[in-house]
Amino acid sequence: MRQYELVERVTRYNPAADEGLLNKAYVYAMQKHGAQIRANGDPYFSHPLEVAAILTDLKLDDATIAVALLHDTIEDTDATRSEIDAMFGEDIGRLVEGLTKIKKLDLVSKKAAQAENLRKLLLAISADIRVLLVKLADRLHNMRTLHFMPPEKRGRIAEETLEIYAPLAGRMGMQDMREELEEIAFRVVNPEALETIVRRLAELALRHKDLISDIETDLGRRFAERGINARVIGRRKRPYSIFRKMERKAVSFEQLSDIFGFRVVVDSLEDCYAALGVIHTTWPTVPGRFKDYISTPKQNDYRSIHTTVIGPQHQRVELQIRTEAMHRVAEFGIAAHALYKDGIAPQKGMPVERPPGASLTGFSAEVKAYEWLRRTIQMLADGDTPEEFLEHTKLELFQDQVFCFTPKGRLIALPRGATPIDFAYAVHTNVGDTTVGVRINGRTMALSTELQNGDEVEIIRAEGHVPQAAWENLVRTGKARSSIRRATRVAVRKQYAGLGRLLVERAFRKAELAFDDALLKAALPRLAQSDLDDMLAGVGRGEIPPGNVVKAVYPDYRDPSPASANPSPSQSAQARRSRAKKANAGIAPVPIRGIEGNLAVHYAPDGGAVPGDRIIGIITPGEGVTIYPIQSPSLKNFDEFPDRWLDVRWEVDQDSDQRFPARISITVLNEPGTLAQVTQVIAAADSNISNLRIRQMPDDFSELVIDIEVANLKHLTRVIAGIRALPAVSSASRVYG
Ligand code: MN
């Protein structure tokens, strides 16, 4: 391409472009690169020129085109930043320098270095989005000419493209760029897989020979009948996106059915929905595949309606419906808006549509794409280690997102698979820390619920509440994970200290000796401790026997006869319960909020406990509290340790769908199908089986011991009644372990 051709290309879409700047950059770069040649023998200058040409396809401003021409001069010639500043202004100098820095980063080296480099890359591109646009065009041209590179270099460049640049292009909404980068890189990284997929695609094309043109014609006719002006563009999925889907979903090519995709481009927002109506009344839809990204746009401003139908040849067909303006954004992403950066008005025929609720969420494409960058960079500033940052970035960069709203309409973007806990932490760390429940679209749901696009999420909070350690397994975002880690460390220590204080109080009461914090503090050196809470936490964890604390305060104290009395084995549950009450006199009951207690809560291992049961908690230092129904025979094992008995009660949310363990024993006649009948009754009563054992008995009977999960005692009673009603069942009852 010649100098005048480049300038002409730019002035065609931007008549106000600074031709002098473009000419000067062209001449300067050409002279600087001089006689340098590329791996394919072309003059080196052909490369920056092609990069500039790619950017004119994206209709970028004159400064960006100039930067593209100059992008390799500092790195590869004797040009300097100050010289470029002097000739082209500081703005362009800064951009060229940014690109020079990125070029030196190795993004596929070992983990720590990679993270550090990724951090630098994001910092460089966050300063000005044009750095990223030029870098992507640079990478695209290098990929197009990759076959001229020595084979040993190709792998690394292709890998880096697949891992970093293609997802970045996608993140910025530049789908065409992303696909081309991926296809070329895929050919280098995994030629065998590419070959297999291409062969299969060819077979498929043969089998469904006219599918694409049939659908294009058919839809075109139906749209015309309804007065909808539409372009229908059919295509097969690209090999790399097929490969990724096969990998991600672990399915074979045969199982992949939606290989055919269509884009329906219409004139107006209303026509999008009208076209959708035509499609849905023509072919049966595939449930769960409908997505309205028009009412809820993606983070990168992508807007379209997606749906999948069973097409005329019984093949799954995916359709994307959008307007011309949306189509342009879908293809060029952030670059579709970059032209307006310098205050140039949008051209006619490119109306800027706003989705409903736009004002609520402060909709703006650039703002949104930048917001992702800003958030990522905020992470990087907060993160302790580069590895941790990489974890964040991988999550953020390589996963799809879901968009949810606060009740006030604030948009919260989260990675796919995120839960209400992620949402709460994304709103604010304090909100996350004090979360106790959630309402999604007005309904109370479990905190483990996977959020969906468009969900309205209302976090229910309780001040003073602390997150559970187990939440770490429920979250997807790095922010939530690190906040939970921090909060639970503090909370666990506090809990153990509280438990320790309880045990110390009891030890003093048993010894009939007085104590207060001052006495305890004075005794700390004798326990080789320096902090009161640390000492109490040590007692709570079972590391320091409470008796030792008494002895540390009163060195002359002698424990009279520790745990020597043998309780009568025939003690009734009632007696035990009153004894438990006595042992707990004056101490507030510990509330058991289902599993929400911050101290680890377990249920009686051989029989469980369910809401509605009268219960006793047994403290096991270092482990937590185990909840037993008052009827459990196991409780007598703890008769000698009244210090470990806790008076507890249920405090379960009525709306909670939490389940609790219980064991039932069933005697059944050995008949075919009996076991199936029993399990069906359990399933039909909305209960789960977590374990099942069968014991043969004499006389054609078997005993089934089944561990099930139920909501409460009423539920359990209903399940048992249902089982008893079966003709083959001779008896069914609950087992208290
Ligand atoms: Mn270059």
Side-chain angles (χ1 to χ4, degrees):
M1 187 167 50
R2 297 172 189 243
Q3 189 172 343
Y4 73 89
E5 287 176 292
L6 179 73
V7 174
E8 223 178 68
R9 272 190 187 219
V10 178
T11 48
R12 207 175 304 148
Y13 62 78
N14 181 9
D18 182 348
E19 291 182 37
L21 172 71
L22 293 171
N23 284 320
K24 200 163 60 166
Y26 186 103
V27 171
Y28 181 82
M30 189 172 62
Q31 283 173 348
K32 283 293 174 188
H33 286 295
Q36 290 174 346
I37 53 164
R38 297 261 296 170
N40 64 353
D42 283 351
Y44 192 94
F45 181 62
S46 66
H47 165 65
L49 194 54
E50 284 300 324
V51 174
I54 291 170
L55 293 170
T56 61
D57 288 341
L58 298 175
K59 302 194 164 88
L60 293 183
D61 69 336
D62 41 17
T64 311
I65 306 298
V67 170
L69 291 169
L70 299 170
H71 81 271
D72 277 334
T73 53
I74 295 184
E75 171 77 5
D76 294 336
T77 76
D78 62 4
T80 61
R81 163 81 196 266
S82 50
E83 195 178 55
I84 292 178
D85 277 3
M87 285 189 69
F88 301 97
E90 258 182 58
D91 211 24
I92 287 176
R94 189 171 41 77
L95 293 172
V96 175
E97 193 178 43
L99 284 152
T100 309
K101 281 186 189 149
I102 295 176
K103 201 175 174 183
K104 293 178 186 153
L105 301 176
D106 181 358
L107 298 169
V108 286
S109 53
K110 43 180 231 305
K111 221 176 164 194
Q114 188 191 347
E116 189 49 39
N117 284 341
L118 198 49
R119 184 198 294 248
K120 287 181 187 153
L121 171 75
L122 290 170
L123 279 171
I125 61 181
S126 70
D128 192 317
I129 203 75
R130 290 176 293 183
V131 172
L132 178 61
L133 296 174
V134 176
K135 181 63 204 175
L136 288 173
D138 176 39
R139 178 52 57 109
L140 181 60
H141 184 243
N142 284 334
M143 291 303 288
R144 282 175 181 170
T145 53
L146 191 64
H147 51 285
F148 294 115
M149 293 291 279
E152 66 275 10
K153 281 194 180 171
R154 290 179 207 163
R156 199 191 63 81
I157 297 173
E159 216 177 296
E160 191 182 75
T161 299
L162 274 186
E163 286 185 6
I164 311 288
Y165 291 107
L168 265 178
R171 172 59 60 155
M172 295 299 131
M174 305 162 78
Q175 294 314 325
D176 277 12
M177 174 85 81
R178 174 190 191 144
E179 284 180 358
E180 190 175 350
L181 287 172
E182 282 175 348
E183 291 310 312
I184 304 172
F186 185 41
R187 200 181 301 147
V188 175
V189 170
N190 201 339
E192 299 83 15
L194 175 70
E195 202 199 316
T196 312
I197 292 173
V198 167
R199 204 180 54 238
R200 297 289 187 79
L201 274 176
E203 290 166 14
L204 205 67
L206 210 63
R207 211 177 327 143
H208 299 283
K209 216 167 52 206
D210 302 317
L211 181 72
I212 289 183
S213 59
D214 281 358
I215 291 182
E216 281 175 357
T217 319
D218 192 10
L219 273 183
R221 188 175 47 78
R222 286 171 196 271
F223 288 146
E225 280 168 12
R226 296 283 302 274
I228 302 165
N229 183 24
R231 279 196 293 143
V232 181
I233 314 149
R235 61 170 210 165
R236 280 181 315 216
K237 281 236 168 76
R238 300 251 196 158
Y240 182 69
S241 72
I242 292 173
F243 173 74
R244 221 178 22 192
K245 199 162 193 180
M246 285 165 67
E247 274 206 323
R248 200 175 52 221
K249 301 203 168 156
V251 294
S252 67
F253 190 86
E254 284 73 19
Q255 290 169 281
L256 271 184
S257 38
D258 43 354
I259 301 220
F260 297 99
F262 288 82
R263 284 172 185 162
V264 177
V265 183
V266 297
D267 288 342
S268 69
L269 201 70
E270 292 71 37
D271 280 355
C272 289
Y273 293 95
L276 178 71
V278 170
I279 291 163
H280 279 186
T281 49
T282 304
W283 294 296
T285 59
V286 177
R289 296 295 304 268
F290 174 74
K291 287 186 193 104
D292 186 349
Y293 293 121
I294 291 181
S295 59
T296 312
K298 285 198 190 189
Q299 172 91 350
N300 59 21
D301 191 33
Y302 175 84
R303 286 189 294 152
S304 277
I305 295 170
H306 288 193
T307 189
T308 302
V309 298
I310 310 288
Q313 297 183 19
H314 303 289
Q315 190 74 16
R316 270 158 57 135
V317 170
E318 191 184 88
L319 295 115
Q320 299 168 350
I321 309 161
R322 51 176 78 138
T323 64
E324 288 287 352
M326 294 174 195
H327 187 55
R328 189 175 151 74
V329 170
E331 286 191 336
F332 301 124
I334 183 136
H337 304 269
L339 177 63
Y340 315 135
K341 237 179 122 74
D342 296 338
I344 300 162
Q347 291 167 5
K348 267 212 164 124
M350 259 194 277
V352 179
E353 291 165 27
R354 283 167 193 279
S359 55
L360 263 185
T361 54
F363 174 85
S364 150
E366 276 176 82
V367 167
K368 273 190 171 183
Y370 275 127
E371 186 178 277
W372 171 76
L373 269 178
R374 258 207 317 277
R375 239 175 348 107
T376 307
I377 284 147
Q378 183 61 38
M379 283 277 195
L380 137 188
D382 292 347
D384 296 332
T385 61
E387 288 85 356
E388 200 176 311
F389 169 63
L390 191 64
E391 187 188 356
H392 295 154
T393 338
K394 270 196 176 146
L395 288 174
E396 301 265 320
L397 203 70
F398 300 106
Q399 284 188 3
D400 265 341
Q401 297 213 307
V402 288
F403 298 94
C404 304
F405 299 90
T406 67
K408 285 183 180 165
R410 181 176 154 204
L411 180 74
I412 304 283
L414 294 163
R416 188 165 295 286
T419 61
I421 303 169
D422 289 301
F423 183 94
Y425 277 107
V427 173
H428 197 281
T429 308
N430 272 346
V431 175
D433 282 348
T434 54
T435 295
V436 292
V438 66
R439 266 191 286 275
I440 300 174
N441 304 322
R443 283 186 55 204
T444 302
M445 303 288 280
L447 285 173
S448 56
T449 309
E450 198 176 296
L451 293 176
Q452 303 296 323
N453 262 319
D455 278 348
E456 186 188 291
V457 183
E458 183 189 351
I459 297 295
I460 301 159
R461 303 169 59 190
E463 280 308 326
H465 193 265
V466 283
Q468 293 172 43
W471 282 4
E472 241 194 78
N473 302 320
L474 293 183
V475 299
R476 277 294 177 96
T477 53
K479 183 175 188 218
R481 189 167 302 129
S482 51
S483 303
I484 291 166
R485 271 181 206 160
R486 194 177 46 243
T488 48
R489 257 200 313 272
V490 174
V492 163
R493 183 173 167 280
K494 220 168 126 186
Q495 280 299 316
Y496 277 123
L499 182 58
R501 181 173 286 277
L502 200 75
L503 293 169
V504 166
E505 270 172 18
R506 290 179 177 193
F508 275 98
R509 195 174 328 114
K510 191 169 145 205
E512 295 176 329
L513 291 167
F515 85 103
D516 57 26
D517 279 9
L519 284 171
L520 289 181
K521 275 184 189 154
L524 284 175
R526 257 165 270 153
L527 292 159
Q529 297 283 323
S530 54
D531 180 89
L532 179 58
D533 280 340
D534 278 349
M535 185 274 278
L536 292 172
V539 175
R541 274 193 296 267
E543 292 158 7
I544 304 169
N548 288 11
V549 181
V550 181
K551 281 180 210 158
V553 177
Y554 298 100
D556 297 336
Y557 173 70
R558 289 286 166 269
D559 196 346
S561 55
S564 58
N566 255 340
S568 120
S570 62
Q571 218 174 7
S572 74
Q574 188 56 41
R576 270 201 306 279
R577 200 173 67 87
S578 61
R579 176 136 157 233
K581 264 205 133 74
K582 228 183 301 163
N584 284 296
I587 293 160
V590 174
I592 305 296
R593 295 179 180 175
I595 56 160
E596 277 170 12
N598 303 310
L599 195 68
V601 172
H602 313 280
Y603 297 101
D606 294 306
V610 304
D613 283 339
R614 295 161 85 176
I615 45 172
I616 291 293
I618 296 293
I619 303 166
T620 305
E623 280 184 21
V625 177
T626 307
I627 308 299
Y628 288 88
I630 197 81
Q631 298 92 333
S632 285
S634 302
L635 280 174
K636 76 171 186 300
N637 300 331
F638 305 103
D639 276 352
E640 292 163 32
F641 310 103
D643 288 358
R644 293 175 58 188
W645 290 57
L646 275 182
D647 196 8
V648 291
R649 60 189 163 83
W650 294 102
E651 209 175 281
V652 181
D653 186 350
Q654 284 302 305
D655 296 331
S656 157
D657 54 5
Q658 203 187 338
R659 295 305 167 98
F660 302 86
R663 181 172 294 176
I664 49 182
S665 162
I666 308 164
T667 309
V668 295
L669 204 57
N670 287 338
E671 271 179 1
T674 306
L675 181 59
Q677 287 169 24
V678 170
T679 54
Q680 267 162 25
V681 166
I682 294 171
D686 192 26
S687 169
N688 305 319
I689 295 179
S690 55
N691 196 13
L692 187 152
R693 274 165 298 139
I694 304 175
R695 198 165 61 87
Q696 290 297 327
M697 295 182 6
D699 305 332
D700 274 349
F701 281 93
S702 296
E703 186 196 12
L704 310 177
V705 178
I706 306 183
D707 289 325
I708 61 172
E709 289 172 333
V710 292
N712 51 39
L713 191 56
K714 216 167 133 188
H715 188 190
L716 176 61
T717 310
R718 203 170 72 228
V719 173
I720 293 175
I723 293 169
R724 279 185 188 145
L726 289 171
V729 169
S730 64
S731 72
S733 57
R734 183 169 177 196
V735 176
Y736 298 100

